[in-house]
Amino acid sequence: MPHIKTSKKSLPVSTLLDIKSQKCGLRHTVYSVSGNEYTGEWQNNKKHGKGTQVWKKSGAIYNGEWKFGKRDGHGTYSVLLPESKAYARKYCGGWRNGKKHGYGTYFYNNSSLYEGEWSEDQRSGWGRMYYENGNIYEGEWMKDKNHGHGIIRFSNGNWYEGTWQDGKKNGNGKFYYSDKGQLYVGFWVAGVAKCGTLTDFGRDEAPAPAKYPIPKVKHCHRL
């Protein structure tokens, strides 16, 4: 059977248009059917390299790196505030396969802020969380919860340092009562202190210390 050479001229018009529309390299703004717009680099018809995407429905914008059509590398995601029509930065940092991954900073709707490591869109690894009420947690995370070793400093001056599991104090730890100048060293289970020793610690500087210094007392609850 003889080989038939097909030229582009003999191809259907729809196929020719498809070949022409194949996006590769640097392009100007391209609009999708949904109205979203992307300005940046392409490879094999997919967003690849550096580019900016604007979502029409939400008004959100992403500016950063892409790989094979997904946010991947370093980038910043911002949302449009409906009342002021201004943009507010939500996340700045690493991405992988379209999700927050690596080191990054996330700004919550209130004044809370997280800076640290991410995995699959969740806080995982080491990170520091600034809560709206003034508390600050610094330590390990897993699947969006305090997990591992960490310290939380409360806005009233109290602090806890020790191990955590699924967002709760769990295992060995120390809790400092700044108002009384007392330190509790003990063992926690699911956020509840079960067994430990309470001693004076910084009592002379405490604003409301107990009338008399306390002896070392071991206090235990049944598990």
Side-chain angles (χ1 to χ4, degrees), residues 174-215:
K174 298 181 288 187
F175 194 102
Y176 174 63
Y177 299 90
S178 62
D179 56 337
K180 296 180 180 178
Q182 295 176 345
L183 182 68
Y184 181 85
V185 179
F187 190 83
W188 275 257
V189 175
V192 179
K194 293 293 183 179
C195 183
T197 302
L198 186 68
T199 58
D200 286 318
F201 187 83
R203 183 175 182 274
D204 294 339
E205 295 81 30
K211 189 174 181 181
Y212 301 106
I214 58 172

Side-chain angles (χ1 to χ4, degrees), residues 98-118:
K99 296 179 179 181
K100 294 183 285 292
H101 193 93
Y103 190 90
T105 302
Y106 188 89
F107 303 86
Y108 293 83
N109 290 333
N110 48 37
S111 57
S112 300
L113 179 151
Y114 171 82
E115 57 178 0
E117 295 175 303
W118 297 79

Side-chain angles (χ1 to χ4, degrees), residues 51-53 55 60-66 71-79 87-95 100 105 107:
T52 301
Q53 165 104 9
W55 285 268
I61 184 169
Y62 170 81
N63 180 40
E65 296 175 300
W66 299 77
R71 290 169 283 186
D72 201 300
H74 186 273
T76 301
Y77 179 79
S78 304
V79 295
Y87 279 99
R89 189 168 55 174
K90 292 295 290 182
Y91 177 77
C92 179
W95 300 79
K100 294 183 285 292
T105 302
F107 303 86

Side-chain angles (χ1 to χ4, degrees), residues 6 30 32 34 37 41 45 47 51 56 67 78 83 87 107-108 117 133 143 146 148 157 162 172 192 202 207 215-216:
T6 305
V30 175
S32 66
S34 58
E37 58 181 85
E41 297 173 303
N45 217 32
K47 301 161 195 165
K56 181 182 179 182
K67 283 184 182 176
S78 304
E83 57 277 2
Y87 279 99
F107 303 86
Y108 293 83
E117 295 175 303
N133 60 8
K143 294 184 178 178
N146 318 48
N172 295 313
V192 179
K216 288 188 178 181

Side-chain angles (χ1 to χ4, degrees), residues 157-174:
N158 295 350
W159 53 260
Y160 167 83
E161 180 178 9
T163 53
W164 300 74
Q165 185 174 322
D166 294 328
K168 295 179 179 180
K169 305 176 193 72
N170 200 89
N172 295 313
K174 298 181 288 187

Side-chain angles (χ1 to χ4, degrees), residues 1-5:
M1 184 175 178
H3 177 71
I4 301 173
K5 186 177 180 181

